[in-house]
Amino acid sequence: MVNGAVDAVNALCDHPEIAAVSFVGSSNIAELVYQRCRALNKRCLALGGAKNHLVALNDCDHEAAARDIAASAFGCAGQRCMAASVLLLVGDTGDLLDRVVAKAQALELGTESGKVGAIIDQRSRDKMHGYVDRAAESGAKILVDGRPGAARSPGYWFGPTVMVFTDKTQECLHDEIFGPVLSVLRVSSWEEAIEIENNNPYGNAASIYTSVGANAEWFCDRFRAGMLGVNIGVPVPREPFAFGGMYGTRSKFGDMDITGDGALEFFTDRRKITTRYGAPQQAVAMENGNGHANGHADHANFVGRM
């Protein structure tokens, strides 16, 4: 393990004996790492930020969806790249939001299993606090307020937060807050939900909650993200499928993916070997003898068999 900041990163990117660099961090730094490596003709995979959208239809299982939404948004204190940060409710979704709120309110801060853990540092806590403060000032409805949790010590903490917006331009719906903060927006149609998801600059993950397969297929065909979920709020793909965002977005710069078959391609070199040998004498004899050698049938030869 190498500790350091800019100098350490630049040294890793520039060292002639390092053939490839993989990175996970903010989009701005990911882009800088990618550009530095590519200038040296060095292989690079730099994964950036995310703004993962969940879309919920009324036909979903409300209890299962609420449980999964809360786990996605507040698990790991929301400080993971697969955490949900925006919930789009299409039309009348009944008591779904009430269920999400109840589960958020039931969560406790702490280090024990099933509790919402600490966040990484004071800067991160202050950032979350600022977003929620400005949202409240702009007229957002704060259904669950995590700001009182920021007073907990030692360490840095922020409680689960659920906010409902009516203004689609509000910063919480677009910026990566990277904490246990879920921003909710009601939309009138599937097309509006897709337009909002597609217009965000990231392309990491997106999920649809529905009990109808055709509905799920419609959304998955249109989401602009590299990892998609159906009734799964943390859609981490399992091997052999690879982990990574979509090309051309702020979530991924560079080549391939970081796990699965993408990782095999990234961390190894595919080499192609073209060969030619003369036919072995036994094979010639068997071909001339109609598949028999020394009077015995060649049962190991599967050429032409079904």
Side-chain angles (χ1 to χ4, degrees):
M1 179 179 292
V2 178
N3 292 312
V6 175
D7 290 341
V9 173
N10 288 345
L12 289 171
C13 293
D14 296 347
H15 199 287
E17 294 186 13
I18 294 178
V21 174
S22 60
F23 171 89
V24 178
S26 69
S27 294
N28 289 340
I29 304 304
E31 187 172 19
L32 291 173
V33 169
Y34 166 72
Q35 291 173 343
R36 192 176 189 97
C37 289
R38 295 306 291 177
L40 298 170
N41 198 29
K42 184 173 294 189
R43 191 177 303 179
C44 180
L45 170 59
L47 300 183
K51 192 68 176 175
N52 303 321
H53 289 65
L54 308 180
V55 179
L57 307 183
N58 191 42
D59 60 55
C60 71
D61 181 324
H62 286 197
E63 178 59 23
R67 184 172 59 248
D68 195 74
I69 291 166
S72 177
F74 311 126
C76 298
Q79 295 205 309
R80 54 181 171 179
C81 65
M82 296 299 288
S85 56
V86 175
L87 172 62
L88 301 176
L89 301 174
V90 183
D92 181 7
T93 52
D95 66 349
L96 176 58
L97 182 56
D98 291 338
R99 291 174 183 259
V100 172
V101 167
K103 295 187 184 304
Q105 291 172 331
L107 291 170
E108 298 179 3
L109 300 180
T111 57
E112 297 85 358
S113 176
K115 294 187 177 182
V116 178
I119 54 178
I120 190 167
D121 56 23
Q122 181 176 344
R123 181 180 179 183
S124 181
R125 183 192 65 189
D126 293 346
K127 176 183 176 182
M128 298 172 200
H129 213 298
Y131 273 104
V132 179
D133 287 345
R134 292 191 296 275
E137 292 168 1
S138 70
K141 188 174 183 180
I142 313 297
L143 301 183
V144 184
D145 192 342
R147 288 175 291 182
R152 182 186 174 105
S153 63
Y156 305 100
W157 302 82
F158 203 86
T161 301
V162 180
M163 303 183 291
V164 179
F165 296 91
T166 56
D167 180 5
K168 289 190 289 188
T169 66
Q170 217 285 334
E171 61 179 357
C172 291
L173 295 168
H174 301 277
D175 297 352
E176 184 180 31
I177 301 173
F178 208 62
V181 180
L182 182 65
S183 300
V184 183
L185 181 70
R186 297 186 183 276
V187 297
S188 60
S189 66
W190 295 10
E191 290 79 8
E192 185 180 6
I194 285 295
E195 180 183 10
I196 292 170
E197 191 277 335
N198 283 184
N199 285 339
N200 94 91
Y202 302 100
N204 191 56
S207 298
I208 173 69
Y209 290 92
T210 178
S211 61
V212 180
N215 296 349
E217 184 176 6
W218 189 94
F219 278 92
C220 287
D221 285 347
R222 292 163 176 79
F223 279 141
R224 182 175 174 263
M227 295 173 284
L228 309 179
V230 177
N231 300 317
I232 297 175
V234 183
V236 175
R238 298 304 302 268
E239 290 73 10
F241 304 106
F243 183 102
M246 179 170 281
Y247 287 111
T249 70
R250 299 289 293 170
S251 291
K252 182 163 94 171
F253 302 88
D255 309 303
M256 308 302 171
D257 282 325
I258 208 163
T259 64
D261 56 355
L264 289 176
E265 290 290 337
F266 180 81
F267 290 108
T268 64
D269 284 317
R270 182 190 290 266
R271 299 197 301 161
K272 286 70 67 177
I273 302 175
T274 305
T275 64
R276 172 181 287 174
Y277 299 101
Q281 292 184 353
Q282 183 178 357
V284 174
M286 294 176 68
E287 290 176 3
N288 293 336
N290 297 320
H292 292 73
N294 300 323
H296 300 288
D298 182 11
H299 296 295
N301 188 342
F302 289 92
V303 176
R305 296 189 193 180
M306 294 295 290

